[in-house]
Amino acid sequence: METFYVIGAVLAGWGLLVSFLGIVRDGFPGSRGAELAVAAISVALVAGAIGSAAIGAANEGADEDEGGHAAALVLPA
């Protein structure tokens, strides 16, 4: 699950950077190639965040099944 937090933080930072550059610079991105690069990086980060969340959630459930049932404190009556 830690991978999701890292990729999510990078994605958030990327979003802030792209937003800042879009506000500050007219015509951002400057060329068709730069536009494709920004889009490709954005798509890769979103796919990475979604994929790491799905894998982390699937592994989290598997870890609980392997560990057995939760222990309970039983007091004699």
Side-chain angles (χ1 to χ4, degrees):
M1 198 58 153
E2 294 82 18
T3 306
F4 169 72
Y5 296 127
V6 171
I7 295 176
V10 172
L11 177 60
W14 175 252
L16 290 172
L17 176 66
V18 169
S19 298
F20 175 76
L21 291 175
I23 292 170
V24 173
R25 295 185 179 184
D26 286 339
F28 174 79
S31 66
R32 177 75 173 149
E35 182 180 340
L36 291 175
V38 169
I41 292 169
S42 300
V43 167
L45 287 173
V46 169
I50 292 171
S52 64
I55 291 170
N59 289 340
E60 185 175 324
D63 292 342
E64 291 174 4
D65 292 340
E66 291 174 5
H69 299 291
L73 177 61
V74 178
L75 301 174

